[in-house]
Structures are given as C-alpha cells and as structure tokens.
Amino acid sequence: MIMKRIYQLICLSALTISVVGCSKDNNVSFVDGYDLESKEDTLNIQLDTNRNFINKSKYTQARVFPGLVGDAEVRVKDFPVTVDLNYVAVPSSDLRINVTPGAWQSTAMYAPAGELVEIMVPEGVYGLTALVGAHVNKSEDGIPVPQRDLDITIQKVLFPGKNYLRNLYGGLIYILPSAPLGRTVELKFTGTVKAPSFKLGVTDPAQWKEEIKKSTVPWFELEGNRIVFTLQTQKAKTIGVDDPKELMETWDKAIKVGYWDWTGLTEGNPNPKHRAPFNKWRIVHDVLFKSGVAQVSGYPVRARANDSYFKQATTIEEVKYLNWGTYHELGHNMQQNSIWNISTYTGEVSNNLFHFRVSKVFGKQSYKIAEIWNKGIAQKFIGSGVKWNTTFENHLDIRLIFYAQIFERYGYEFMTYLYTRARNARFLSANDQSKNDFFYEAVCEYTKIDMLPFFDKWGWTISDVSRKYVEEQLGYPKLTEELWLASPVRVY
C-alpha cells in the first residue's frame, strides 16, 4: 500500500513538471512550427514551356553547323515513336575489347534550333535520357580555328508525363536508356520535325528518296541492324544513295561476318564472353577534327563530313573493298589490348586486319596486301635483325604483311581462335613480353607447328618459358618451310 502511494506521488510530480515545461514562454511567436511571414521560394525554378517563343540567340552559329530547319517544315504534334529498349547490354570487359556499341536509340525526330520540343513519357517509365544532337565531341585540342561551336548538344533526364527541351543549335533526338527495360516504349513528340532517315526493314526505299528531295532537315540517318550512319541531308541530295536497302544489308553483313563471326562472337550466345553486341555501331559525320585526322574511334565513331567520306559510307563497292577508314576505327574498338595487342607497335596495325576480312567476305583480297608487298619494303625488313618491338621506317605497312602471311597460309579462321583464346584466358597480360608470348603460343596451337623460325625472322622476342611450352609440353615440330619469304598476294 505504501509502495502504491509512493508511485502515485512520482507520477503526479512528473505530470506537473511536464505541464510547466510546455508552458514556458521563450518569446518566439511560431504557430505550429512555421513562420507564416517567411514564404520565399529558395529553389527559384522557372519552367520553359512557351512553344511560341523561339530563342534565336545562336541562329548564326547554328546556320553554319549543324544547320537550320526550314520554316515550312511541319512541326508535329503528339507524334508516336516506338523505342526498342528490349536489348542485352554487352560490356567491353566481357569481350576484353576496347569499346562495345552503346545504347543510343534513334527516333528520327529532329529538334529545330531554339524551338521548344515536348516529349511525353508513359506512366511508370524511368531511366531514360534525351540527347538532342549527335555531335557530342566538344574538344578543341589541336584545333586553332574550330569549324563549329564546341558544345552544341544537350541532355535531359526524362520522367513520366511531359518533358520540355530546347537546344539552341537543334539536332537529331536520341533516347539513352540507363538499362534495358525488356520491352518497347512509345513516346510522343510535339514541336519536332521528321528527319528523312532510312531504317532497314521499315522504310520504303522509293519513298525515302522522295523524302530526301523535299526535306529541309539538315541531318538524317541510314540505319541497319548492326550499324547506323549520321549524315548531312544536302550530301544525299547532291551525291545520292543508289539503293539504301542493299547498302545497309551490305554494311550489316560486313559487321556480322567481318567482326562478330570472325572474332568468335555469336548473336544471342548464352555465354556472355562470346556474345555479340546487341546494340549498333554508330558513325557520326562531323567537322571538329585536328589537322591530319579524318576519323576517330570510340562510340560513336566520328568521321569527317566531306564528300569523300560520304561516298565511302554510301557506295556499295567502297563499302565492300575500298572503305579503309571506317573498318580501321571499328577495328580500334575491337582490339584486345589487355591480352595480345601492343598499342605502341601494333595499335595502328591489328585494327586494319578487319579490312582484310571484310574484303575477303565479299570475294576479294584486300587491296592493301598487294600494294605493300609489291613495294618490296617488307622483304627488306624480314631477316634484317631489326626487332619487332621497335619503331622502324614504314613499320605500320610492313607489319601488316606478317599477319597476311599467317592468314593466307593457315586460314583467316586463326583470328577466331586468337580472340576466343584471349576471352578464355585466365589472366590478363602483365607486359609486352607476355603479349608476344600469348600471340606466339596461339599461332603454334592453331597450326600445330612450332612457328619459332617464322617469328625469329620477323624480329619477335619470345621468352624461354614460352619456347619450352611449345617445344616440350606441346611437342610441335619446328616450321621447315620459309613462310617469311612467301608472297601473301592472292587472287580469289
């Protein structure tokens, strides 16, 4: 009873203290925790939603590049575009190559310079970014007088509902997903114009030619299943494209057979190490280049926007046999620098091997092999004692003959074996010597011959460990034919 009485007194004292504490006056006049007199918007956000206003502040620069859209070109309203986000991401690390194709998704929509465009995104769709303008390079390094403004593209993260964008230079619109969604998504565009783009399997070639004739949109795209070209519309008007369907089918075959198949990659392969990229290579024509540079590898590949490179991209015979530059840059993307390619010495050589393969796919040997061999420069180098891992006169051309002799004697399928072996290797190469050894062992395993005499004549340094592996563990016989003297020139 006494304890109960003590407990009641304690509770009463605590209640009294709490009431007194709550009634304390600190001379602060707040109601419900908010000062009603302070309502300033600290974010100061102003939404640009005025479609009647055209910002012409960069018209002079935009007229020079990328170009202006004609006033009579129809601005669409609620125009539906289906974007395919059902793809599989293939990172370059899985394939042990420099670059794999990115996930830019073309829309064939063009934003006129300075005009407001609207993109309607369906409910529940997140992770998309809109890119306005394909010319993302903005470096003026080594360019004393740039031929265009440097920063002419914009990006904006999209959210469900209406999204507003205004690029003062205008440009083609792309959708950049942060990850695959496993389905298609329909977006609706307002205020944009339709670019006269051709998409293989979708666009009628005859109708496309009529659209090109009438269009005032400065840029368009030729899109196949494995590669896309971003080109100037005016060049299509003046130079022309004979058959866009056959053209893009030719490009698709060049990429599939000359790159994916040749390096042992298959589309849809369940093993990610040997799965061909799902997304498409992109080649964007541009004017922002250093003197002496015509194209740059990466994603997208950049090429000079001139008549010569337009013809290389759009003339079927050039695609098959004469287009050195595009295959050169895509070859850079495909190099396995962490395993067998030595950037210092073969960085500008092994990438050109893809031109060898593409030409063979279409029934001819690469013109470059005969061009170099007939000069006699390779014959003078072979057996001269000059080491492979050095820089010597005409070294880029001479090195190509080394690979040509292997391909023409033992088959172009060696490249498939080499790339597959590199992807399956347990470890990356630690240094240039281990890269030399890797390549030497791969050739020996593929031919089942100890190719050391051939490598010696070409000035390669092979380690004792690698020599013993081939001689003792594999037990292959030494090469007896003088392959290094054999002409690799062939007529198929």
Side-chain angles (χ1 to χ4, degrees):
M1 187 67 180
I2 295 174
M3 290 299 296
K4 183 177 180 181
R5 181 64 175 167
I6 293 173
Y7 176 74
Q8 289 174 339
L9 288 172
I10 292 172
C11 290
L12 180 61
S13 299
L15 179 61
T16 303
I17 292 170
S18 65
V19 170
V20 171
C22 288
S23 63
K24 183 176 179 180
D25 184 4
N26 290 317
N27 295 320
V28 179
S29 58
F30 287 97
V31 178
D32 296 329
Y34 296 95
D35 183 353
L36 295 180
E37 298 302 319
S38 177
K39 296 182 179 180
E40 181 182 357
D41 181 1
T42 56
L43 292 178
N44 193 27
I45 294 177
Q46 295 181 347
L47 294 179
D48 181 6
T49 61
N50 185 357
R51 287 192 51 226
N52 294 320
F53 170 69
I54 300 176
N55 188 331
K56 298 183 179 182
S57 60
K58 293 294 182 180
Y59 256 35
T60 299
Q61 295 90 330
R63 182 175 284 107
V64 174
F65 195 93
L68 299 178
V69 175
D71 293 337
E73 203 74 42
V74 176
R75 275 62 171 170
V76 301
K77 180 175 175 58
D78 293 328
F79 186 84
V81 174
T82 299
V83 180
D84 189 359
L85 302 177
N86 184 22
Y87 65 91
V88 177
V90 180
S92 59
S93 56
D94 282 357
L95 309 184
R96 291 180 170 173
I97 62 176
N98 289 338
V99 181
T100 51
W104 288 21
Q105 305 298 318
S106 297
T107 66
M109 291 282 99
Y110 196 98
E115 298 185 28
L116 189 74
V117 300
E118 174 192 302
I119 304 177
M120 177 68 77
V121 178
E123 189 66 33
V125 175
Y126 294 90
L128 304 183
T129 297
L131 167 66
V132 183
H135 304 96
V136 293
N137 178 51
K138 49 181 132 178
S139 173
E140 61 179 336
D141 182 39
I143 308 174
V145 183
Q147 295 183 46
R148 65 165 171 85
D149 275 2
L150 302 178
D151 194 357
I152 63 173
T153 67
I154 64 167
Q155 289 192 33
K156 184 173 183 179
V157 176
L158 302 178
F159 294 95
K162 293 182 179 181
N163 298 264
Y164 298 96
L165 303 91
R166 190 191 299 271
N167 183 352
L168 301 183
Y169 299 87
L172 288 163
I173 300 177
Y174 303 89
I175 301 301
L176 283 52
S178 58
L181 295 186
R183 60 189 176 94
T184 59
V185 172
E186 184 180 272
L187 307 178
K188 291 186 177 180
F189 289 78
T190 297
T192 55
V193 296
K194 293 174 64 177
S197 295
F198 176 87
K199 186 171 184 177
L200 185 63
V202 176
T203 312
D204 177 74
Q207 181 181 345
W208 173 78
K209 288 188 176 184
E210 291 302 313
E211 290 177 356
I212 283 286
K213 288 180 184 178
K214 299 174 183 177
S215 180
T216 63
V217 179
W219 291 83
F220 76 101
E221 292 191 320
L222 293 172
E223 181 175 0
N225 295 318
R226 299 178 181 91
I227 191 167
V228 186
F229 287 85
T230 305
L231 306 165
Q232 289 173 306
T233 306
Q234 187 57 39
K235 285 185 170 46
K237 294 175 185 286
T238 57
I239 298 173
V241 179
D242 289 339
D243 187 341
K245 179 177 181 293
E246 183 183 358
L247 173 68
M248 297 318 295
E249 288 174 344
T250 302
W251 272 114
D252 278 349
K253 183 177 181 180
I255 299 303
K256 182 184 183 300
V257 184
Y259 286 79
W260 303 157
D261 293 355
W262 200 36
T263 57
L265 301 174
T266 53
E267 295 173 344
N269 194 319
N271 186 338
K273 287 196 298 185
H274 308 303
R275 180 185 298 150
F278 185 94
N279 289 315
K280 307 172 184 182
W281 291 120
R282 286 185 177 273
I283 317 294
V284 176
H285 282 208
D286 200 347
V287 295
L288 196 63
F289 292 92
K290 297 179 184 178
S291 177
V293 175
Q295 299 196 60
V296 179
S297 61
Y299 185 87
V301 169
R302 296 185 294 114
R304 280 192 182 269
N306 59 31
D307 290 355
S308 175
Y309 282 99
F310 185 90
K311 291 175 183 177
Q312 285 187 27
T314 60
T315 306
I316 292 174
E317 285 301 298
E318 297 219 17
V319 173
K320 290 180 177 179
Y321 311 115
L322 302 176
N323 185 328
W324 184 266
T326 302
Y327 298 125
H328 173 101
E329 301 305 340
L330 293 179
H332 273 309
N333 290 348
M334 293 293 294
Q335 285 173 321
Q336 293 182 315
N337 292 334
S338 62
I339 304 292
W340 61 269
N341 186 62
I342 301 175
S343 298
T344 308
Y345 307 115
T346 57
E348 293 296 332
V349 180
S350 65
N351 57 322
N352 292 321
L353 301 180
F354 290 94
H355 186 272
F356 287 11
R357 180 55 179 162
V358 170
S359 292
K360 194 172 191 304
V361 166
F362 293 109
K364 292 183 181 181
Q365 187 180 63
S366 170
Y367 71 87
K368 201 71 174 177
I369 295 175
E371 179 184 288
I372 299 170
W373 183 258
N374 292 337
K375 290 178 181 178
I377 55 177
Q379 295 90 317
K380 292 179 181 178
F381 171 84
I382 297 167
S384 66
V386 177
K387 289 300 182 183
W388 179 267
N389 282 15
T390 58
T391 301
F392 43 87
E393 187 178 3
N394 296 314
H395 74 104
L396 299 181
D397 281 351
I398 290 171
R399 293 181 203 272
L400 284 172
I401 297 301
F402 167 82
Y403 297 102
Q405 287 181 328
I406 295 173
F407 292 148
E408 294 299 344
R409 175 62 180 85
Y410 299 106
Y412 280 70
E413 292 74 22
F414 165 66
M415 196 73 150
T416 312
Y417 180 82
L418 175 66
Y419 266 78
T420 304
R421 187 181 193 266
R423 290 193 298 272
N424 286 328
R426 291 182 62 194
F427 306 106
L428 303 180
S429 294
N431 49 42
D432 288 354
Q433 183 58 60
S434 59
K435 292 178 182 181
N436 280 358
D437 290 348
F438 185 94
F439 190 90
Y440 163 68
E441 291 171 14
V443 174
C444 296
E445 289 172 358
Y446 180 75
T447 61
K448 293 182 170 44
I449 298 171
D450 186 345
M451 299 290 288
L452 187 60
F454 177 72
F455 280 77
D456 282 345
K457 288 294 183 180
W458 273 98
W460 283 61
T461 301
I462 306 300
S463 71
D464 290 340
V465 172
S466 192
R467 289 169 184 251
K468 288 181 180 179
Y469 166 73
V470 173
E471 183 179 357
E472 298 176 8
Q473 282 189 250
L474 298 181
Y476 292 148
K478 279 279 196 302
L479 177 72
T480 56
E481 65 177 291
E482 295 180 328
L483 175 62
W484 54 89
L485 299 180
S487 169
V489 179
R490 301 285 187 275
V491 178
Y492 303 140

